[in-house]
Amino acid sequence: MYKLVIKGGKTLNGSVKIAGSKNAALPILFASILADGPLILNNTPHLSDVSTTLRLLMDMGSEFILESDNSLFVDSSKLTKLTAEYSLVKTMRASILSLGPMLAKYGEAKISLPGGCAIGMRPVNLHLKALEDLGAKIEVKNGYIHASAEKLIGTDVHFEQITVTATENILMAATLAQGTTTIHNAAQEPEIVDLANCLIKMGAKISGAGTSVIIIEGVSNLSGATYTVCPDRIEAGTYLIAAAITGGKITLKNIHHQSMRAIIRKLIETGAEIKCDKTSITLDMKGRKPKAVNVRTSAYPNFPTDMQAQFCALNSIADGQATITETIFENRFMHIPELARMGAELSLEGNTVISKGVKSLTGANLMATDLRASASLVLAGLAAQGTTTIERVYHLDRGYETIEEKLKLLGADIQRIQD
Ligand code: EPU
C-alpha cells in the first residue's frame, strides 16, 4: 500500500498539463463494444479506473494496446462473453456502462449489480427502467442484472431525475435501436457531449447532446473511429484550488475553460485573478488568502458535486464563514472529519457544511475514503503547517494521473512512499 507524505506551506507556481477526462474516457471505452472495428483514442488518461475498464473489456474478449503517449487502440468488436463479473464491477461502478452497449449489439447482457459506495446508495433503477422503455426484458437475480431484447425499439425516455451515466447508457443503447429515441431530462455534462461526438464519428445519428433533450436515430451498425478524449475539468479545478489555497499562480494547459464556468466563477469569488485563453487557464492568487465562498452542488451547467470536497478544503482556511450544500449524493462528506483532524472548523447540518475559516491547518495522519474526498485532503495538506500523511492513495489513482509528479512540478513537497 502506498501513502502520500506532504510537507505543507509551499506556494505553488508553474504550469501543468491536464489529462483526458476520466468521466468521458470511461463511457467512450464502453462505446467500443458498439463498434464493428477498433477505436483509436487519443488523450486517454492513465488512471486505475481506465485500467479496470480495460480489464473488464478484456475479460469479455476485447483487445487493446495502450501507448505511453496516452493513445489507446481498443478493439471490442467481437465480444466472446457477455458478462461483467462482480469481481471487476465491485471496484468500479461505471462498469454499468457496459449494459446499454452489450444489449444493443448482442441482444443480451449479464452485469453484476454495482451496490452502494462511500458517497451514497447510487442505485441503477433509472438505467434499468429506461432500457425497459426501449423494450428490454430485465430481471435481477443473485446480484446480477440479466437483460435481453431481440431488438431495442426507439421511444421517448423521460428521466425522473437527472443522471449522468444512465443518460450515457441509453444514448449508447439507442444508437443501434430500431427507430428514433428521444431522451428527456437528459444530463448535460460535457462528458456526455464528448461521448456523443465519439459515437457520431462512429456513424451514430445524434442531435441535442449537451441539452436536456437528446434525439438518437438508430442505425444498423457503427464503425471504428479515431477520437480525442476531452480534458478533465475536475482534475483542472482541483489544480486551480491547489494554487488558490497556497496563494500561488499556476497555468493549466490542455483544458476547455468553457466547461468550467461554474468552478471559475466560484474561484473568482475567492479573490483569484483568472485569465483564460483557448486551451489554457491561469489563476493568480497574488499571495492572498482566499475568501470563503458559498457553494451548492447541482447538475451541469451548475456547480459540480465532484468539486465539492475540494472547496470544503479551501473554505477551511479561507477568510470568513460559508456554507457548502450537497444536493446530488446523500453521503459525500467523508472528508469533513478528516479535515477537522487538521484543525478545520467545519460542522455538518443535514446536507450542508458550515465552515469558519481558520488561520492555518496543521498536518496530520489522514485516511483517504473516496476519490474527491482524497483530493480535498491533498489540498488541505498542501496548505497545512507541518507534515500530512494520506493513506489509501489508490482512491486518488482512480481519477488523478500522477498527482504527486504534477504537484512536485508546481513546487509542492510531496512524496509517494510504500508502507
Ligand atoms: N440515481 C438514482 N438512480 C439511478 C441513477 C442515479 O437514484 O438509476 C441518483 C444517484 O444516486 C445520485 C443522482 O441520481 O443521487 C445522480 O447520480 P448520477 O447517475 O448522475 O451519477 P453517476 O452517473 O453514477 C457520474 C460520475 C460521478 C459524478 C456524478 C454526478 C461517471 C463515471 N461518474 O456518476 O463521478 O459525481 O455523475 O455528476 O461519470 C467522480 O468522478 O468522482 C464521480 C463520482
Side-chain angles (χ1 to χ4, degrees), residues 22-23 26-27 93-94 97 119 121-127 161-166 168 189 305-306 328-330 332 371-372:
K22 166 177 86 76
N23 289 348
L26 301 182
R93 298 182 47 83
L97 288 166
I119 63 177
M121 282 286 290
R122 304 182 78 185
V124 292
N125 57 317
L126 302 175
H127 298 241
Q161 183 175 351
I162 296 176
T163 150
V164 175
T165 48
E168 292 166 345
E189 268 66 3
T305 172
D306 292 345
I328 306 287
F329 293 111
E330 66 273 21
R332 207 173 198 181
L371 172 56
R372 308 303 171 188

PDB file of all heavy atoms in Angstrom, residues 22-23 26-27 93-94 97 119 121-127 161-166 168 189 305-306 328-330 332 371-372, ligand 1:
ATOM      1  N   LYS A  22     -11.532  11.489 -17.110  1.00  0.00           N
ATOM      2  CA  LYS A  22     -11.919  10.137 -16.665  1.00  0.00           C
ATOM      3  C   LYS A  22     -13.365   9.855 -17.058  1.00  0.00           C
ATOM      4  O   LYS A  22     -13.667   8.817 -17.639  1.00  0.00           O
ATOM      5  CB  LYS A  22     -11.769  10.030 -15.139  1.00  0.00           C
ATOM      6  CG  LYS A  22     -12.462   8.808 -14.548  1.00  0.00           C
ATOM      7  CD  LYS A  22     -12.246   8.676 -13.063  1.00  0.00           C
ATOM      8  CE  LYS A  22     -13.207   9.437 -12.180  1.00  0.00           C
ATOM      9  NZ  LYS A  22     -14.557   8.826 -12.050  1.00  0.00           N
ATOM     10  N   ASN A  23     -14.252  10.800 -16.722  1.00  0.00           N
ATOM     11  CA  ASN A  23     -15.677  10.512 -16.900  1.00  0.00           C
ATOM     12  C   ASN A  23     -16.143  10.627 -18.349  1.00  0.00           C
ATOM     13  O   ASN A  23     -17.294  10.323 -18.651  1.00  0.00           O
ATOM     14  CB  ASN A  23     -16.516  11.395 -15.975  1.00  0.00           C
ATOM     15  CG  ASN A  23     -16.352  10.953 -14.526  1.00  0.00           C
ATOM     16  OD1 ASN A  23     -15.813   9.879 -14.259  1.00  0.00           O
ATOM     17  ND2 ASN A  23     -16.803  11.777 -13.591  1.00  0.00           N
ATOM     18  N   LEU A  26     -14.257   6.793 -19.756  1.00  0.00           N
ATOM     19  CA  LEU A  26     -14.892   5.516 -19.372  1.00  0.00           C
ATOM     20  C   LEU A  26     -16.078   5.171 -20.276  1.00  0.00           C
ATOM     21  O   LEU A  26     -16.114   4.083 -20.860  1.00  0.00           O
ATOM     22  CB  LEU A  26     -15.288   5.517 -17.890  1.00  0.00           C
ATOM     23  CG  LEU A  26     -14.143   5.725 -16.885  1.00  0.00           C
ATOM     24  CD1 LEU A  26     -14.662   5.653 -15.446  1.00  0.00           C
ATOM     25  CD2 LEU A  26     -13.032   4.716 -17.084  1.00  0.00           C
ATOM     26  N   PRO A  27     -17.076   6.073 -20.452  1.00  0.00           N
ATOM     27  CA  PRO A  27     -18.159   5.706 -21.367  1.00  0.00           C
ATOM     28  C   PRO A  27     -17.684   5.463 -22.798  1.00  0.00           C
ATOM     29  O   PRO A  27     -18.194   4.581 -23.487  1.00  0.00           O
ATOM     30  CB  PRO A  27     -19.133   6.896 -21.298  1.00  0.00           C
ATOM     31  CG  PRO A  27     -18.412   7.978 -20.587  1.00  0.00           C
ATOM     32  CD  PRO A  27     -17.338   7.346 -19.765  1.00  0.00           C
ATOM     33  N   ARG A  93     -18.023   1.363 -10.257  1.00  0.00           N
ATOM     34  CA  ARG A  93     -19.454   1.407 -10.570  1.00  0.00           C
ATOM     35  C   ARG A  93     -19.737   1.724 -12.031  1.00  0.00           C
ATOM     36  O   ARG A  93     -20.772   1.337 -12.562  1.00  0.00           O
ATOM     37  CB  ARG A  93     -20.125   2.486  -9.726  1.00  0.00           C
ATOM     38  CG  ARG A  93     -20.044   2.265  -8.249  1.00  0.00           C
ATOM     39  CD  ARG A  93     -20.783   3.376  -7.558  1.00  0.00           C
ATOM     40  NE  ARG A  93     -22.066   3.564  -8.195  1.00  0.00           N
ATOM     41  CZ  ARG A  93     -23.153   2.839  -7.934  1.00  0.00           C
ATOM     42  NH1 ARG A  93     -23.115   1.914  -7.019  1.00  0.00           N
ATOM     43  NH2 ARG A  93     -24.272   3.052  -8.576  1.00  0.00           N
ATOM     44  N   ALA A  94     -18.786   2.427 -12.689  1.00  0.00           N
ATOM     45  CA  ALA A  94     -19.023   2.805 -14.086  1.00  0.00           C
ATOM     46  C   ALA A  94     -19.144   1.571 -14.990  1.00  0.00           C
ATOM     47  O   ALA A  94     -19.545   1.695 -16.156  1.00  0.00           O
ATOM     48  CB  ALA A  94     -17.906   3.719 -14.573  1.00  0.00           C
ATOM     49  N   LEU A  97     -21.928   0.865 -17.387  1.00  0.00           N
ATOM     50  CA  LEU A  97     -21.961   1.406 -18.749  1.00  0.00           C
ATOM     51  C   LEU A  97     -21.754   0.343 -19.820  1.00  0.00           C
ATOM     52  O   LEU A  97     -21.880   0.623 -21.013  1.00  0.00           O
ATOM     53  CB  LEU A  97     -20.891   2.501 -18.902  1.00  0.00           C
ATOM     54  CG  LEU A  97     -21.194   3.819 -18.190  1.00  0.00           C
ATOM     55  CD1 LEU A  97     -19.957   4.695 -18.110  1.00  0.00           C
ATOM     56  CD2 LEU A  97     -22.314   4.557 -18.920  1.00  0.00           C
ATOM     57  N   ILE A 119     -20.009   7.218  -1.236  1.00  0.00           N
ATOM     58  CA  ILE A 119     -20.670   8.525  -1.302  1.00  0.00           C
ATOM     59  C   ILE A 119     -22.192   8.438  -1.319  1.00  0.00           C
ATOM     60  O   ILE A 119     -22.875   9.457  -1.311  1.00  0.00           O
ATOM     61  CB  ILE A 119     -20.158   9.386  -2.486  1.00  0.00           C
ATOM     62  CG1 ILE A 119     -20.457   8.729  -3.843  1.00  0.00           C
ATOM     63  CG2 ILE A 119     -18.676   9.660  -2.345  1.00  0.00           C
ATOM     64  CD1 ILE A 119     -20.024   9.589  -5.032  1.00  0.00           C
ATOM     65  N   MET A 121     -25.985   5.603  -1.856  1.00  0.00           N
ATOM     66  CA  MET A 121     -26.588   4.338  -2.297  1.00  0.00           C
ATOM     67  C   MET A 121     -26.331   4.078  -3.783  1.00  0.00           C
ATOM     68  O   MET A 121     -26.054   2.977  -4.209  1.00  0.00           O
ATOM     69  CB  MET A 121     -28.105   4.399  -2.083  1.00  0.00           C
ATOM     70  CG  MET A 121     -28.549   4.189  -0.661  1.00  0.00           C
ATOM     71  SD  MET A 121     -28.392   2.466  -0.202  1.00  0.00           S
ATOM     72  CE  MET A 121     -29.688   1.740  -1.202  1.00  0.00           C
ATOM     73  N   ARG A 122     -26.496   5.114  -4.569  1.00  0.00           N
ATOM     74  CA  ARG A 122     -26.278   5.067  -6.007  1.00  0.00           C
ATOM     75  C   ARG A 122     -26.956   3.877  -6.694  1.00  0.00           C
ATOM     76  O   ARG A 122     -26.284   3.023  -7.292  1.00  0.00           O
ATOM     77  CB  ARG A 122     -24.784   5.111  -6.309  1.00  0.00           C
ATOM     78  CG  ARG A 122     -24.128   6.335  -5.694  1.00  0.00           C
ATOM     79  CD  ARG A 122     -22.679   6.441  -6.017  1.00  0.00           C
ATOM     80  NE  ARG A 122     -22.452   6.945  -7.371  1.00  0.00           N
ATOM     81  CZ  ARG A 122     -21.253   7.043  -7.929  1.00  0.00           C
ATOM     82  NH1 ARG A 122     -20.194   6.661  -7.263  1.00  0.00           N
ATOM     83  NH2 ARG A 122     -21.113   7.523  -9.142  1.00  0.00           N
ATOM     84  N   PRO A 123     -28.285   3.815  -6.629  1.00  0.00           N
ATOM     85  CA  PRO A 123     -28.984   2.718  -7.316  1.00  0.00           C
ATOM     86  C   PRO A 123     -28.888   2.863  -8.841  1.00  0.00           C
ATOM     87  O   PRO A 123     -28.483   3.921  -9.338  1.00  0.00           O
ATOM     88  CB  PRO A 123     -30.435   2.881  -6.853  1.00  0.00           C
ATOM     89  CG  PRO A 123     -30.573   4.314  -6.498  1.00  0.00           C
ATOM     90  CD  PRO A 123     -29.220   4.775  -6.020  1.00  0.00           C
ATOM     91  N   VAL A 124     -29.268   1.809  -9.565  1.00  0.00           N
ATOM     92  CA  VAL A 124     -29.232   1.881 -11.036  1.00  0.00           C
ATOM     93  C   VAL A 124     -30.644   1.723 -11.620  1.00  0.00           C
ATOM     94  O   VAL A 124     -30.812   1.396 -12.787  1.00  0.00           O
ATOM     95  CB  VAL A 124     -28.254   0.841 -11.646  1.00  0.00           C
ATOM     96  CG1 VAL A 124     -26.825   1.190 -11.307  1.00  0.00           C
ATOM     97  CG2 VAL A 124     -28.603  -0.573 -11.205  1.00  0.00           C
ATOM     98  N   ASN A 125     -31.654   1.968 -10.785  1.00  0.00           N
ATOM     99  CA  ASN A 125     -33.039   1.773 -11.221  1.00  0.00           C
ATOM    100  C   ASN A 125     -33.395   2.581 -12.468  1.00  0.00           C
ATOM    101  O   ASN A 125     -34.140   2.109 -13.331  1.00  0.00           O
ATOM    102  CB  ASN A 125     -34.013   2.117 -10.066  1.00  0.00           C
ATOM    103  CG  ASN A 125     -33.830   3.538  -9.561  1.00  0.00           C
ATOM    104  OD1 ASN A 125     -32.709   4.001  -9.395  1.00  0.00           O
ATOM    105  ND2 ASN A 125     -34.923   4.236  -9.324  1.00  0.00           N
ATOM    106  N   LEU A 126     -32.824   3.778 -12.598  1.00  0.00           N
ATOM    107  CA  LEU A 126     -33.190   4.622 -13.745  1.00  0.00           C
ATOM    108  C   LEU A 126     -32.565   4.093 -15.047  1.00  0.00           C
ATOM    109  O   LEU A 126     -33.151   4.225 -16.126  1.00  0.00           O
ATOM    110  CB  LEU A 126     -32.790   6.079 -13.492  1.00  0.00           C
ATOM    111  CG  LEU A 126     -33.420   6.708 -12.223  1.00  0.00           C
ATOM    112  CD1 LEU A 126     -32.883   8.113 -11.979  1.00  0.00           C
ATOM    113  CD2 LEU A 126     -34.949   6.748 -12.340  1.00  0.00           C
ATOM    114  N   HIS A 127     -31.382   3.466 -14.937  1.00  0.00           N
ATOM    115  CA  HIS A 127     -30.779   2.809 -16.117  1.00  0.00           C
ATOM    116  C   HIS A 127     -31.722   1.687 -16.581  1.00  0.00           C
ATOM    117  O   HIS A 127     -32.025   1.561 -17.774  1.00  0.00           O
ATOM    118  CB  HIS A 127     -29.448   2.141 -15.758  1.00  0.00           C
ATOM    119  CG  HIS A 127     -28.366   3.054 -15.284  1.00  0.00           C
ATOM    120  ND1 HIS A 127     -27.163   3.195 -15.950  1.00  0.00           N
ATOM    121  CD2 HIS A 127     -28.263   3.858 -14.187  1.00  0.00           C
ATOM    122  CE1 HIS A 127     -26.382   4.035 -15.294  1.00  0.00           C
ATOM    123  NE2 HIS A 127     -27.027   4.445 -14.214  1.00  0.00           N
ATOM    124  N   GLN A 161     -35.153  11.910 -12.795  1.00  0.00           N
ATOM    125  CA  GLN A 161     -34.067  12.625 -12.104  1.00  0.00           C
ATOM    126  C   GLN A 161     -32.898  12.685 -13.093  1.00  0.00           C
ATOM    127  O   GLN A 161     -32.697  11.731 -13.859  1.00  0.00           O
ATOM    128  CB  GLN A 161     -33.674  11.777 -10.889  1.00  0.00           C
ATOM    129  CG  GLN A 161     -32.632  12.381 -10.012  1.00  0.00           C
ATOM    130  CD  GLN A 161     -32.404  11.512  -8.773  1.00  0.00           C
ATOM    131  OE1 GLN A 161     -33.142  10.572  -8.508  1.00  0.00           O
ATOM    132  NE2 GLN A 161     -31.384  11.824  -8.019  1.00  0.00           N
ATOM    133  N   ILE A 162     -32.140  13.771 -13.042  1.00  0.00           N
ATOM    134  CA  ILE A 162     -31.011  13.878 -13.981  1.00  0.00           C
ATOM    135  C   ILE A 162     -29.926  12.898 -13.550  1.00  0.00           C
ATOM    136  O   ILE A 162     -29.528  12.889 -12.389  1.00  0.00           O
ATOM    137  CB  ILE A 162     -30.460  15.322 -14.007  1.00  0.00           C
ATOM    138  CG1 ILE A 162     -31.534  16.267 -14.544  1.00  0.00           C
ATOM    139  CG2 ILE A 162     -29.193  15.411 -14.844  1.00  0.00           C
ATOM    140  CD1 ILE A 162     -31.147  17.727 -14.525  1.00  0.00           C
ATOM    141  N   THR A 163     -29.485  12.069 -14.471  1.00  0.00           N
ATOM    142  CA  THR A 163     -28.443  11.098 -14.143  1.00  0.00           C
ATOM    143  C   THR A 163     -27.452  10.984 -15.297  1.00  0.00           C
ATOM    144  O   THR A 163     -27.862  10.791 -16.454  1.00  0.00           O
ATOM    145  CB  THR A 163     -29.028   9.722 -13.737  1.00  0.00           C
ATOM    146  OG1 THR A 163     -28.095   8.692 -14.107  1.00  0.00           O
ATOM    147  CG2 THR A 163     -30.368   9.409 -14.375  1.00  0.00           C
ATOM    148  N   VAL A 164     -26.177  11.090 -14.962  1.00  0.00           N
ATOM    149  CA  VAL A 164     -25.137  11.162 -15.994  1.00  0.00           C
ATOM    150  C   VAL A 164     -24.954   9.805 -16.679  1.00  0.00           C
ATOM    151  O   VAL A 164     -25.134   9.683 -17.898  1.00  0.00           O
ATOM    152  CB  VAL A 164     -23.802  11.652 -15.378  1.00  0.00           C
ATOM    153  CG1 VAL A 164     -22.682  11.616 -16.413  1.00  0.00           C
ATOM    154  CG2 VAL A 164     -23.959  13.053 -14.809  1.00  0.00           C
ATOM    155  N   THR A 165     -24.614   8.774 -15.905  1.00  0.00           N
ATOM    156  CA  THR A 165     -24.299   7.504 -16.584  1.00  0.00           C
ATOM    157  C   THR A 165     -25.548   6.829 -17.161  1.00  0.00           C
ATOM    158  O   THR A 165     -25.439   6.114 -18.156  1.00  0.00           O
ATOM    159  CB  THR A 165     -23.514   6.528 -15.677  1.00  0.00           C
ATOM    160  OG1 THR A 165     -24.160   6.457 -14.419  1.00  0.00           O
ATOM    161  CG2 THR A 165     -22.080   6.937 -15.508  1.00  0.00           C
ATOM    162  N   ALA A 166     -26.727   7.058 -16.571  1.00  0.00           N
ATOM    163  CA  ALA A 166     -27.928   6.462 -17.191  1.00  0.00           C
ATOM    164  C   ALA A 166     -28.199   7.145 -18.531  1.00  0.00           C
ATOM    165  O   ALA A 166     -28.564   6.487 -19.510  1.00  0.00           O
ATOM    166  CB  ALA A 166     -29.131   6.573 -16.259  1.00  0.00           C
ATOM    167  N   GLU A 168     -25.941   8.274 -20.441  1.00  0.00           N
ATOM    168  CA  GLU A 168     -24.926   7.708 -21.355  1.00  0.00           C
ATOM    169  C   GLU A 168     -25.292   6.285 -21.792  1.00  0.00           C
ATOM    170  O   GLU A 168     -25.130   5.916 -22.958  1.00  0.00           O
ATOM    171  CB  GLU A 168     -23.557   7.723 -20.661  1.00  0.00           C
ATOM    172  CG  GLU A 168     -23.049   9.139 -20.470  1.00  0.00           C
ATOM    173  CD  GLU A 168     -21.875   9.285 -19.510  1.00  0.00           C
ATOM    174  OE1 GLU A 168     -21.590   8.337 -18.744  1.00  0.00           O
ATOM    175  OE2 GLU A 168     -21.249  10.348 -19.506  1.00  0.00           O
ATOM    176  N   GLU A 189     -23.874  17.201 -19.066  1.00  0.00           N
ATOM    177  CA  GLU A 189     -22.444  17.312 -18.783  1.00  0.00           C
ATOM    178  C   GLU A 189     -21.590  17.277 -20.065  1.00  0.00           C
ATOM    179  O   GLU A 189     -21.943  16.588 -21.025  1.00  0.00           O
ATOM    180  CB  GLU A 189     -22.023  16.139 -17.872  1.00  0.00           C
ATOM    181  CG  GLU A 189     -22.082  16.397 -16.382  1.00  0.00           C
ATOM    182  CD  GLU A 189     -23.484  16.616 -15.810  1.00  0.00           C
ATOM    183  OE1 GLU A 189     -24.468  16.511 -16.568  1.00  0.00           O
ATOM    184  OE2 GLU A 189     -23.591  16.915 -14.613  1.00  0.00           O
ATOM    185  N   THR A 305     -20.796  18.388  -8.184  1.00  0.00           N
ATOM    186  CA  THR A 305     -20.556  17.671  -6.922  1.00  0.00           C
ATOM    187  C   THR A 305     -19.108  17.174  -6.835  1.00  0.00           C
ATOM    188  O   THR A 305     -18.558  17.072  -5.730  1.00  0.00           O
ATOM    189  CB  THR A 305     -21.542  16.483  -6.761  1.00  0.00           C
ATOM    190  OG1 THR A 305     -21.153  15.717  -5.632  1.00  0.00           O
ATOM    191  CG2 THR A 305     -21.578  15.572  -7.960  1.00  0.00           C
ATOM    192  N   ASP A 306     -18.496  16.903  -7.983  1.00  0.00           N
ATOM    193  CA  ASP A 306     -17.122  16.375  -7.969  1.00  0.00           C
ATOM    194  C   ASP A 306     -16.089  17.424  -7.542  1.00  0.00           C
ATOM    195  O   ASP A 306     -14.896  17.109  -7.424  1.00  0.00           O
ATOM    196  CB  ASP A 306     -16.753  15.803  -9.351  1.00  0.00           C
ATOM    197  CG  ASP A 306     -17.549  14.547  -9.671  1.00  0.00           C
ATOM    198  OD1 ASP A 306     -18.151  13.968  -8.752  1.00  0.00           O
ATOM    199  OD2 ASP A 306     -17.585  14.158 -10.853  1.00  0.00           O
ATOM    200  N   ILE A 328     -26.526  16.281  -4.737  1.00  0.00           N
ATOM    201  CA  ILE A 328     -26.535  15.127  -5.661  1.00  0.00           C
ATOM    202  C   ILE A 328     -26.431  13.796  -4.905  1.00  0.00           C
ATOM    203  O   ILE A 328     -27.193  12.865  -5.148  1.00  0.00           O
ATOM    204  CB  ILE A 328     -25.381  15.229  -6.693  1.00  0.00           C
ATOM    205  CG1 ILE A 328     -25.430  16.569  -7.427  1.00  0.00           C
ATOM    206  CG2 ILE A 328     -25.405  14.045  -7.663  1.00  0.00           C
ATOM    207  CD1 ILE A 328     -26.528  16.733  -8.428  1.00  0.00           C
ATOM    208  N   PHE A 329     -25.469  13.702  -3.996  1.00  0.00           N
ATOM    209  CA  PHE A 329     -25.258  12.445  -3.267  1.00  0.00           C
ATOM    210  C   PHE A 329     -25.560  12.651  -1.793  1.00  0.00           C
ATOM    211  O   PHE A 329     -25.295  13.715  -1.230  1.00  0.00           O
ATOM    212  CB  PHE A 329     -23.823  11.937  -3.460  1.00  0.00           C
ATOM    213  CG  PHE A 329     -23.547  11.514  -4.875  1.00  0.00           C
ATOM    214  CD1 PHE A 329     -22.694  12.244  -5.683  1.00  0.00           C
ATOM    215  CD2 PHE A 329     -24.171  10.403  -5.426  1.00  0.00           C
ATOM    216  CE1 PHE A 329     -22.450  11.872  -7.002  1.00  0.00           C
ATOM    217  CE2 PHE A 329     -23.944  10.008  -6.740  1.00  0.00           C
ATOM    218  CZ  PHE A 329     -23.081  10.750  -7.530  1.00  0.00           C
ATOM    219  N   GLU A 330     -26.091  11.611  -1.142  1.00  0.00           N
ATOM    220  CA  GLU A 330     -26.574  11.777   0.234  1.00  0.00           C
ATOM    221  C   GLU A 330     -25.479  11.636   1.283  1.00  0.00           C
ATOM    222  O   GLU A 330     -25.692  11.949   2.438  1.00  0.00           O
ATOM    223  CB  GLU A 330     -27.748  10.824   0.512  1.00  0.00           C
ATOM    224  CG  GLU A 330     -27.453   9.339   0.501  1.00  0.00           C
ATOM    225  CD  GLU A 330     -27.535   8.701  -0.887  1.00  0.00           C
ATOM    226  OE1 GLU A 330     -27.434   9.427  -1.894  1.00  0.00           O
ATOM    227  OE2 GLU A 330     -27.663   7.470  -0.960  1.00  0.00           O
ATOM    228  N   ARG A 332     -21.794  12.463   0.805  1.00  0.00           N
ATOM    229  CA  ARG A 332     -20.494  12.796   0.222  1.00  0.00           C
ATOM    230  C   ARG A 332     -19.700  13.739   1.134  1.00  0.00           C
ATOM    231  O   ARG A 332     -19.157  14.745   0.677  1.00  0.00           O
ATOM    232  CB  ARG A 332     -20.691  13.408  -1.165  1.00  0.00           C
ATOM    233  CG  ARG A 332     -19.490  13.163  -2.037  1.00  0.00           C
ATOM    234  CD  ARG A 332     -19.639  13.563  -3.457  1.00  0.00           C
ATOM    235  NE  ARG A 332     -18.608  12.895  -4.250  1.00  0.00           N
ATOM    236  CZ  ARG A 332     -18.431  13.040  -5.533  1.00  0.00           C
ATOM    237  NH1 ARG A 332     -19.206  13.818  -6.232  1.00  0.00           N
ATOM    238  NH2 ARG A 332     -17.459  12.387  -6.154  1.00  0.00           N
ATOM    239  N   LEU A 371     -12.572   9.116  -4.051  1.00  0.00           N
ATOM    240  CA  LEU A 371     -11.705   9.904  -4.940  1.00  0.00           C
ATOM    241  C   LEU A 371     -11.639  11.399  -4.612  1.00  0.00           C
ATOM    242  O   LEU A 371     -10.566  11.948  -4.368  1.00  0.00           O
ATOM    243  CB  LEU A 371     -12.205   9.669  -6.379  1.00  0.00           C
ATOM    244  CG  LEU A 371     -11.603  10.497  -7.484  1.00  0.00           C
ATOM    245  CD1 LEU A 371     -10.099  10.364  -7.511  1.00  0.00           C
ATOM    246  CD2 LEU A 371     -12.200  10.056  -8.823  1.00  0.00           C
ATOM    247  N   ARG A 372     -12.773  12.060  -4.595  1.00  0.00           N
ATOM    248  CA  ARG A 372     -12.727  13.533  -4.439  1.00  0.00           C
ATOM    249  C   ARG A 372     -12.446  13.934  -2.988  1.00  0.00           C
ATOM    250  O   ARG A 372     -11.812  14.964  -2.735  1.00  0.00           O
ATOM    251  CB  ARG A 372     -14.020  14.170  -4.943  1.00  0.00           C
ATOM    252  CG  ARG A 372     -14.410  13.759  -6.355  1.00  0.00           C
ATOM    253  CD  ARG A 372     -13.356  14.040  -7.405  1.00  0.00           C
ATOM    254  NE  ARG A 372     -13.710  13.417  -8.689  1.00  0.00           N
ATOM    255  CZ  ARG A 372     -12.922  13.366  -9.744  1.00  0.00           C
ATOM    256  NH1 ARG A 372     -11.686  13.862  -9.705  1.00  0.00           N
ATOM    257  NH2 ARG A 372     -13.324  12.785 -10.865  1.00  0.00           N
TER     258      ARG A 372
HETATM  259  N1  EPU B   1     -29.575   7.883  -9.270  1.00  0.00           N
HETATM  260  C1  EPU B   1     -30.635   7.073  -8.952  1.00  0.00           C
HETATM  261  N2  EPU B   1     -30.917   6.018  -9.786  1.00  0.00           N
HETATM  262  C2  EPU B   1     -30.188   5.763 -10.914  1.00  0.00           C
HETATM  263  C3  EPU B   1     -29.111   6.615 -11.241  1.00  0.00           C
HETATM  264  C4  EPU B   1     -28.821   7.670 -10.385  1.00  0.00           C
HETATM  265  O1  EPU B   1     -31.304   7.259  -7.940  1.00  0.00           O
HETATM  266  O2  EPU B   1     -30.501   4.796 -11.634  1.00  0.00           O
HETATM  267  C5  EPU B   1     -29.233   9.010  -8.369  1.00  0.00           C
HETATM  268  C6  EPU B   1     -27.858   8.845  -7.722  1.00  0.00           C
HETATM  269  O3  EPU B   1     -27.901   8.003  -6.583  1.00  0.00           O
HETATM  270  C7  EPU B   1     -27.493  10.277  -7.408  1.00  0.00           C
HETATM  271  C8  EPU B   1     -28.115  11.045  -8.582  1.00  0.00           C
HETATM  272  O4  EPU B   1     -29.101  10.177  -9.151  1.00  0.00           O
HETATM  273  O5  EPU B   1     -28.088  10.654  -6.212  1.00  0.00           O
HETATM  274  C9  EPU B   1     -27.172  11.466  -9.671  1.00  0.00           C
HETATM  275  O6  EPU B   1     -26.298  10.390  -9.975  1.00  0.00           O
HETATM  276  P1  EPU B   1     -25.715  10.136 -11.419  1.00  0.00           P
HETATM  277  O7  EPU B   1     -26.370   8.942 -12.015  1.00  0.00           O
HETATM  278  O8  EPU B   1     -25.728  11.395 -12.226  1.00  0.00           O
HETATM  279  O9  EPU B   1     -24.206   9.761 -11.071  1.00  0.00           O
HETATM  280  P2  EPU B   1     -23.329   8.708 -11.842  1.00  0.00           P
HETATM  281  O10 EPU B   1     -23.717   8.719 -13.267  1.00  0.00           O
HETATM  282  O11 EPU B   1     -23.333   7.416 -11.114  1.00  0.00           O
HETATM  283  C10 EPU B   1     -21.434  10.353 -12.601  1.00  0.00           C
HETATM  284  C11 EPU B   1     -19.960  10.458 -12.398  1.00  0.00           C
HETATM  285  C12 EPU B   1     -19.671  10.830 -10.956  1.00  0.00           C
HETATM  286  C13 EPU B   1     -20.355  12.173 -10.669  1.00  0.00           C
HETATM  287  C14 EPU B   1     -21.855  12.073 -10.971  1.00  0.00           C
HETATM  288  C15 EPU B   1     -22.596  13.379 -10.810  1.00  0.00           C
HETATM  289  C16 EPU B   1     -19.045   8.915 -14.011  1.00  0.00           C
HETATM  290  C17 EPU B   1     -18.358   7.632 -14.291  1.00  0.00           C
HETATM  291  N3  EPU B   1     -19.333   9.180 -12.740  1.00  0.00           N
HETATM  292  O12 EPU B   1     -21.891   9.334 -11.699  1.00  0.00           O
HETATM  293  O13 EPU B   1     -18.265  10.999 -10.849  1.00  0.00           O
HETATM  294  O14 EPU B   1     -20.171  12.521  -9.327  1.00  0.00           O
HETATM  295  O15 EPU B   1     -22.056  11.599 -12.323  1.00  0.00           O
HETATM  296  O16 EPU B   1     -22.055  14.341 -11.630  1.00  0.00           O
HETATM  297  O17 EPU B   1     -19.301   9.693 -14.909  1.00  0.00           O
HETATM  298  C18 EPU B   1     -16.211  11.107  -9.681  1.00  0.00           C
HETATM  299  O18 EPU B   1     -15.650  11.291 -10.773  1.00  0.00           O
HETATM  300  O19 EPU B   1     -15.625  11.267  -8.575  1.00  0.00           O
HETATM  301  C19 EPU B   1     -17.618  10.702  -9.664  1.00  0.00           C
HETATM  302  C20 EPU B   1     -18.190  10.154  -8.600  1.00  0.00           C
END
